[in-house]
Amino acid sequence: MSLLHALAKAGALRTLDHALAQSLRRLDPDTPDAVLAAAALASLAVAAGHAGFDPAEPQRLVEAPIDWPTPEAWRQALESSRWVACPETGDAESAADAPLVFEHGLVYLRRYREYERRLAEGLCRVGRVAPDPVEAPVGAEGQGGQVPAHLAGLFDQLFPDAASGEDLQAQAAAAALRHSLLLVTGGPGTGKTTTITRMLVLLVAQALQAGAAPPRIALAAPTGRAAERMAESVRNAVHALMDAGIDPALCAHLPTAGTTLHRLLGTIPDSPSFRHHGDNPLPLDLVVVDEASMIDLPLMAKLVEAVPDGARLVLLGDPDQLPSVEAGDVLAGILRAAEGSRDSGDFPAHHVHLTRGWRQSAELDLAPLAAAVREGDSETALALLRSGELSGVHFHEGNADPLRTHRDHLLAHWSELADASDPAEALAKANGLRILTAVREGPQGARSLNARIEELLAGTRRGAGPASAGGRYFHGRLLLITENSYRHRLFNGDIGICLRDESGTVMAWFPGDNPQNPRPFHPAALPAHDSAFAMTVHKAQGSEFDEVWLVLPSRENRVLSRELVYTGMTRARGQLHLAGSADVIAQALPQHAGRWSGLGRRLS
């Protein structure tokens, strides 16, 4: 039995993956079976979030009992195939139009290899154009960068603890004065946004004191909710700085609104391209991007190409969170390259990892548990969960169905959404509670939980249940967009709510550029969507909720990992309820949600 046939018989391939291999066979019947299988698996790897496929570890992608070729046999077949470009062997030009690329030990679909190559080139371009040189440092020893004399007073105001040399926030801000590519990472509450706000004040002051115009700054994130959260945090930090005596004239030049990356780059209806690109770059001097771990390979490549020469790019993120839903583990690759070239300088990026927990909440004490989960220490994590000593953390051990055991509590929140005075209030209240799941299907999956919740809510609606006028789009139904629609300016992960308008027509309301003015859509006109009472942890990235119910599968699942548990937990602002068995937690935490990628190698 051929390898491709074995994969198809095992149900390991999607129709699209198998069709790619079959098309190559039709074009050349002599194509080796190993090459056909590699093409199908490269396509499957992208769907699984990888940039390419590693022939040395095929069982990581397909768990079926397959008689795999040896890595050497696969390599020989790939390097001799007309369908495969092998840049490392000097055959790139002869296979310039080949649909596959074999490089750095990975088999790529050509398009994704090009995204990775373009991203690496773009990051190096941004990082190697240094900002204008600054004066000799004054009192800034150990700050990771030089602070010019005329900014020393302001720097001391912004960072009063900088003299100790241990203030990582000060190090990051000082580094921004002499680095065009800055990476600021850290977990929730470590002060990433506070650091960036003070850094922006410093850069504004630097420009004004040099007689230049204030820098043109954009705050962006992969999702609308993440962008608004970032902007809100910056606004709050600005008010705190002015209360502390920072010149309001400096603060006035900081942006007060955030935007999604799609809106920043300029969507084109019915096209994957953007208005801003390498030949039409963004009219900006500084781009600050939050939740960088969520950004997939194609989008990050397009973003970096649109950053103009001489502009700064600042990426914020939590490296312990899940990688993007789509292909690529971009932030991890960039961080590996930055750390690997810290001494050599091969990759011109500066990385500061913030560790101090600035956000101390009497309501939710998540830090010890989050640390244990990050480290994969299931014994400590379970001990903390069972102790009941962590404020705001509730462990429902062995509870596979909180919708049954805590139905009244959960339904009370969703019922209140329908009583909001206007769509803006309803959308704000929607973030008060969310059920997060590890999987989409199955008894503990988002799909089945949403169906049950809709059925339960039908009994609480006064004539507005799923069987009433408006059908399944009932008054108070939460919606989750699951595909990008550039025409509607609705993107994967956007949350909306169905409410009746003054005429009694049920409309779907989604946030607009102004949070107080949501945009209405007729439900029939929406792109692909699901209910959002329960959603997967992946879909919840970039969001925070006052109360989170993290529901784990009742048995081991390959999607479980420490990154998934950590990401789900840290979506909670005030209360975390974790429902699952000790065995599943013990199995999940040792697992990493790693991705195949060659980005780190390209950068370093």
Side-chain angles (χ1 to χ4, degrees), residues 259-481:
T259 183
T260 64
L261 291 174
H262 291 86
R263 292 190 181 106
L264 176 71
L265 294 173
T267 58
I268 300 174
D270 303 317
S271 171
S273 300
F274 295 103
R275 285 194 293 273
H276 291 290
H277 43 74
D279 294 327
N280 181 33
L282 293 162
L284 297 169
D285 303 300
L286 173 59
V287 180
V288 181
V289 182
D290 198 9
E291 299 289 354
S293 65
M294 296 175 60
I295 306 174
D296 59 55
L297 179 58
L299 182 57
M300 185 68 89
K302 294 171 185 178
L303 167 67
V304 171
E305 286 183 334
V307 175
D309 291 340
R312 288 178 170 90
L313 175 63
V314 180
L315 300 178
L316 311 180
D318 185 346
D320 296 308
Q321 282 192 32
L322 281 167
S324 64
V325 176
E326 306 297 336
D329 193 357
V330 175
L331 180 62
I334 296 173
L335 293 178
R336 280 195 297 270
E339 291 303 309
S341 64
R342 184 179 289 274
D343 296 326
S344 66
D346 292 338
F347 175 45
H350 190 84
H351 176 212
V352 177
H353 183 67
L354 305 179
T355 56
R356 178 178 173 182
W358 293 83
R359 185 169 67 213
Q360 300 296 323
S361 170
E363 188 180 4
L364 179 62
D365 181 17
L366 197 57
L369 180 60
V373 171
R374 281 198 309 267
E375 294 165 7
D377 186 349
S378 57
E379 184 177 344
T380 299
L382 285 168
L384 289 168
L385 286 167
R386 288 167 170 162
S387 71
E389 297 176 357
L390 300 180
S391 175
V393 177
H394 311 275
F395 184 31
H396 305 277
E397 186 170 359
N399 187 343
D401 192 2
L403 199 55
R404 176 180 58 83
T405 58
H406 296 76
R407 182 182 66 180
D408 292 344
H409 170 73
L410 295 170
L411 290 183
H413 166 74
W414 295 315
S415 296
E416 289 178 1
L417 299 181
D419 298 328
S421 60
D422 57 57
E425 181 187 352
L427 287 170
K429 284 185 174 182
N431 291 311
L433 183 149
R434 197 62 51 89
I435 293 179
L436 302 184
T437 68
V439 294
R440 175 174 168 78
E441 307 295 341
Q444 290 82 35
R447 183 189 290 274
S448 60
L449 288 175
N450 276 318
R452 291 176 59 197
I453 291 166
E454 291 184 17
E455 185 177 352
L456 290 169
L457 287 175
T460 67
R461 306 290 183 208
R462 295 182 298 274
S468 66
R472 55 194 292 260
Y473 298 102
F474 57 85
H475 186 71
R477 182 191 178 197
L478 284 176
L479 297 177
L480 170 70
I481 297 299

